[in-house]
Amino acid sequence: MFSLGSWLPALPGLAWVWALLDALLQGLVGACAVSVLCSLLKVYTYIQCVNDPERQAEKEAIAARRPLLELLHVLVLTSVLALVGSRVAALVVLEFSLRAVSTIISLGKGAHSSQLYLLCQYSLGCGMSCGLSFLLEGALHRTWNLALAAGLAGLLALHAQRLAWHVCALYELHSRARYCGICILLLAAGHGIPRLLCNALALTFAVADLAAVELINRDFLSTGEAVRFWTPLTICYTLLVVYMQEESRQSMGSGLVFRTVLVRMGGLFILLLTVGRWTDILHVFVSLLGELWCLLHFRVLLESCCRQ
């Protein structure tokens, strides 16, 4: 199953080492995907602030460069995604997909919400982890495949961060002087970033949803067990979506976002108390920390999106 293990002598007690390495690599891919998403959203939001004289304070806050904090964010999110089990990660992915579809329908056809992109950070990381678990299950050289994916994801995340730093530092100057090809391209086509993110996230979550359903169903020995799990899960998620839609109509702001995180994780916790395992309960708490970490790290962007 593990590439390195297939070439090295079979030693007792090493299986958990390869499993831990695979989990860390999967978490790194998910964390890099989140970093790319936030970097592109940072570029888009900064360009919008440049074009609006009333948002200069937001522009300065977004432009603040914190490379060590960015690295810490990736490392912490990698660890969280590595600790979360595939079962809870799959439930997080399915819950966000249902919430996203409901939000898009309420916004109207063709509408986009930058806030929704920020809210999907942790779910995107879980989706990448679920997709890789499903696609590479039973692969002969699984570890090498994950290492290659992590290397490519890290390279893409690094270039996205460099793009964000370049835009925040030089976009105003280059766009006026028509000096830089990247800034000129963003000046002409920067408004298309939300559409690009929407298409990429739709494809990612489509694959992740299929993987999540398969990962959950493989634990059931019969159809009856599956029905006893999916029925309360569907009811719980439906009630959560209805509740959050009502809350969003009554109030706006980052406080509502953090409150809905607690409500969603609380609902998942209660559900898994009845139909889950004790390890699932632990993973729910880890997921709560992951959600809060993602939102707190990009709170400036979140508040900017809430004002819009």
Side-chain angles (χ1 to χ4, degrees), residues 246-260:
E246 290 297 325
E247 282 285 303
S248 63
R249 292 191 186 99
Q250 295 175 6
S251 60
M252 294 291 291
S254 58
L256 172 65
V257 174
F258 288 99
R259 189 162 66 249
T260 55

Side-chain angles (χ1 to χ4, degrees), residues 47-258:
I47 293 174
Q48 297 299 310
C49 291
V50 168
N51 298 328
D52 188 350
E54 297 180 357
R55 302 176 64 183
Q56 296 306 304
E58 295 178 35
K59 182 191 71 174
E60 295 175 1
I62 293 172
R65 183 174 177 178
R66 306 180 183 91
L68 292 180
L69 190 58
E70 294 290 340
L71 178 60
L72 178 63
H73 175 65
V74 172
L75 293 178
V76 171
L77 191 54
T78 298
S79 302
V80 170
L81 292 173
L83 289 174
V84 174
S86 59
R87 189 175 166 99
V88 172
L91 293 175
V92 170
V93 170
L94 293 175
E95 185 274 332
F96 175 79
S97 298
L98 181 61
R99 183 157 45 101
V101 170
S102 174
T103 302
I104 292 173
I105 292 175
S106 64
L107 286 174
K109 186 177 180 181
H112 302 283
S113 173
S114 298
Q115 184 177 343
L116 186 63
Y117 297 143
L118 283 173
L119 295 180
C120 81
Q121 293 179 71
Y122 181 71
S123 301
L124 174 61
C126 290
M128 295 296 294
S129 181
C130 289
L132 289 172
S133 296
F134 175 71
L135 295 174
L136 296 178
E137 187 174 11
L140 181 61
H141 303 304
R142 175 187 175 93
T143 306
W144 286 117
N145 291 332
L146 287 172
L148 178 61
L152 294 174
L155 188 63
L156 186 60
L158 180 60
H159 282 290
Q161 284 188 2
R162 287 180 176 177
L163 173 64
W165 293 339
H166 176 84
V167 169
C168 291
L170 300 171
Y171 175 78
E172 289 185 86
L173 174 62
H174 288 174
S175 60
R176 286 196 302 266
R178 300 296 193 272
Y179 174 75
C180 172
I182 294 176
C183 294
I184 293 174
L185 177 63
L186 290 173
L187 181 64
H191 62 276
I193 291 179
R195 171 64 65 180
L196 173 65
L197 292 177
C198 180
N199 293 336
L201 290 174
L203 178 60
T204 301
F205 277 101
V207 176
D209 288 337
L210 294 175
V213 172
E214 179 61 29
L215 289 174
I216 293 174
N217 283 335
R218 72 181 181 182
D219 293 332
F220 302 126
L221 300 177
S222 64
T223 305
E225 291 184 7
V227 171
R228 283 194 295 272
F229 180 85
W230 284 107
T231 300
L233 177 68
T234 304
I235 295 173
C236 177
Y237 278 3
T238 303
L239 292 176
L240 281 175
V241 169
V242 172
Y243 167 79
M244 285 182 286
Q245 289 294 331
E246 290 297 325
E247 282 285 303
S248 63
R249 292 191 186 99
Q250 295 175 6
S251 60
M252 294 291 291
S254 58
L256 172 65
V257 174
F258 288 99

